[in-house]
Amino acid sequence: MLKDIYHYSSVRNDRVYIKEDEYISLIGYYSQKIYEAEDSKNIYDVFFNFYKDNIYFNIDYLEYLISKSDRTAVEYIKIITDNMNKKLDKNNHYYLSALGDYYCSRYKVNVIPDDIELSIENYIKAIEAKKNNYIYYKKLANAYILKNDYAAAAGSYNRAIEIYDKDIALIKDAVYLLKRDMNKNGNLVIEYLKKIIDVNKNDDEALENLAQIYDTLGDKYNSEIYYNKLLDAVNYNLYIINNESPNPVLYDKYIKKRNEISKKLNSFK
């Protein structure tokens, strides 16, 4: 991303505010400041006001603001899209995606139907400009969900996963949506859950889902396999809690889950 943005900003502007290698150091600096601050929002505001002309920082800050989705965030996102418009071609995929983010965030605040339509329109344009960017399909899916167009959302999630199938959060979002109709999507849900386990074999949520799905289907053989894998994952998580990251709440949760799994496995005998 830095390489792309640097190219556009250096070619289309007489002045380059900061070079790419300088910005890489800046990332570490302001990230550390935010980490150390009691009020990270104020630190972000300070950096934003100081680096409003910095296209790299604008894009980084945009991702933070999207997660906020309040009125102040929407106002700042509008400033960012205006800044990007000054430095990037209007058909640039980063700019189009930012417009999609702006209208999507504005819809969450004001719930104006035209905004979600404009969000979808700009995400689609971003995809057309950068066809294999799975993040844009993920954003498009989320916009379709806000519109209650679940079929289109599922299609966008599926395309995102076709492009990149290592993003666990993305796959879990897709599974959550597809499970609405297991008669239609059951095989795909199982496929996606297995993808999660390929990335993280100790993902107890995915393992438990698979064990329960096979149990519901009457496939006791596979259900038992995944309950055993789930037991291993729970024991692994308990080891981490006991030895590396003490957490009494999680410890109690996993002890309870281990007892439930053991009881379920005994029922297969």
Side-chain angles (χ1 to χ4, degrees):
M1 183 185 77
L2 289 174
K3 184 178 179 181
D4 283 353
I5 292 297
Y6 182 73
H7 169 73
Y8 277 102
S9 63
S10 60
V11 168
R12 298 179 181 279
N13 295 277
D14 295 332
R15 180 182 178 192
V16 178
Y17 289 92
I18 189 168
K19 291 183 172 61
E20 183 177 345
D21 58 347
E22 296 171 327
Y23 179 70
I24 291 170
S25 298
L26 178 63
I27 291 174
Y29 175 71
Y30 77 68
S31 297
Q32 184 65 25
K33 288 294 184 184
I34 291 165
Y35 175 77
E36 292 172 350
E38 292 182 4
D39 186 350
S40 60
K41 179 183 182 300
N42 288 341
I43 297 295
Y44 259 121
D45 289 344
V46 168
F47 273 98
F48 184 51
N49 289 325
F50 191 73
Y51 290 106
K52 277 185 179 177
D53 289 324
N54 183 297
I55 192 65
Y56 310 115
F57 182 79
N58 275 247
I59 293 177
D60 275 356
Y61 190 41
L62 176 62
E63 294 305 314
Y64 168 80
L65 292 171
I66 291 168
S67 67
K68 305 292 287 184
S69 291
D70 56 23
R71 291 189 183 278
T72 301
V74 171
E75 292 170 6
Y76 280 177
I77 292 172
K78 181 63 169 67
I79 295 171
I80 287 173
T81 56
D82 289 343
N83 289 345
M84 294 174 72
N85 188 33
K86 296 173 186 175
K87 296 177 174 63
L88 303 179
D89 186 276
K90 290 184 178 179
N91 294 317
N92 176 267
H93 61 99
Y94 291 123
Y95 173 64
L96 292 167
S97 174
L99 280 179
D101 295 337
Y102 167 63
Y103 287 115
C104 187
S105 296
R106 199 167 79 166
Y107 176 80
K108 291 178 181 178
V109 172
N110 300 319
V111 197
I112 298 173
D114 284 350
D115 282 341
I116 200 61
E117 294 295 343
L118 286 168
S119 176
I120 290 168
E121 178 184 324
N122 280 285
Y123 285 144
I124 290 173
K125 287 180 179 178
I127 288 168
E128 290 171 350
K130 190 77 170 177
K131 297 187 185 299
N132 289 323
N133 189 317
Y134 85 97
I135 294 293
Y136 297 160
Y137 281 102
K138 181 178 180 178
K139 290 182 175 184
L140 179 60
N142 292 336
Y144 276 129
I145 287 174
L146 290 174
K147 188 185 173 184
N148 296 322
D149 189 342
Y150 299 119
S156 297
Y157 275 139
N158 292 341
R159 182 65 185 119
I161 295 168
E162 284 176 16
I163 296 170
Y164 185 70
D165 63 358
K166 308 299 182 187
D167 186 331
I168 289 179
L170 162 67
I171 300 173
K172 286 186 176 182
D173 285 344
V175 166
Y176 181 81
L177 179 66
L178 293 169
K179 283 177 72 176
R180 291 166 57 91
D181 188 350
M182 284 297 289
N183 288 330
K184 178 181 178 182
N185 304 316
N187 289 335
L188 192 56
V189 168
I190 290 172
E191 178 187 336
Y192 284 173
L193 289 170
K194 288 181 178 179
K195 286 182 182 292
I196 294 172
I197 296 165
D198 287 340
V199 178
N200 178 13
K201 67 178 183 179
N202 292 309
D203 191 302
D204 54 284
E205 181 184 358
L207 289 166
E208 188 167 20
N209 266 305
L210 274 169
Q212 289 173 345
I213 288 170
Y214 281 122
D215 194 26
T216 300
L217 292 172
D219 186 344
K220 304 300 181 185
Y221 175 78
N222 277 307
S223 181
E224 185 174 3
I225 286 175
Y226 282 100
Y227 272 118
N228 275 304
K229 290 183 177 183
L230 175 59
L231 182 60
D232 290 341
V234 167
N235 285 330
Y236 170 80
N237 286 320
L238 281 169
Y239 173 83
I240 296 298
I241 292 168
N242 283 328
N243 294 279
E244 298 179 20
S245 303
N247 186 318
V249 174
L250 280 179
Y251 178 82
D252 289 344
K253 170 190 170 184
Y254 280 116
I255 287 294
K256 180 181 179 182
K257 181 170 285 190
R258 185 170 67 180
N259 292 336
E260 291 171 349
I261 297 164
S262 297
K263 183 177 179 180
K264 184 67 180 179
L265 285 170
N266 287 331
S267 73
F268 288 121
K269 296 177 181 178

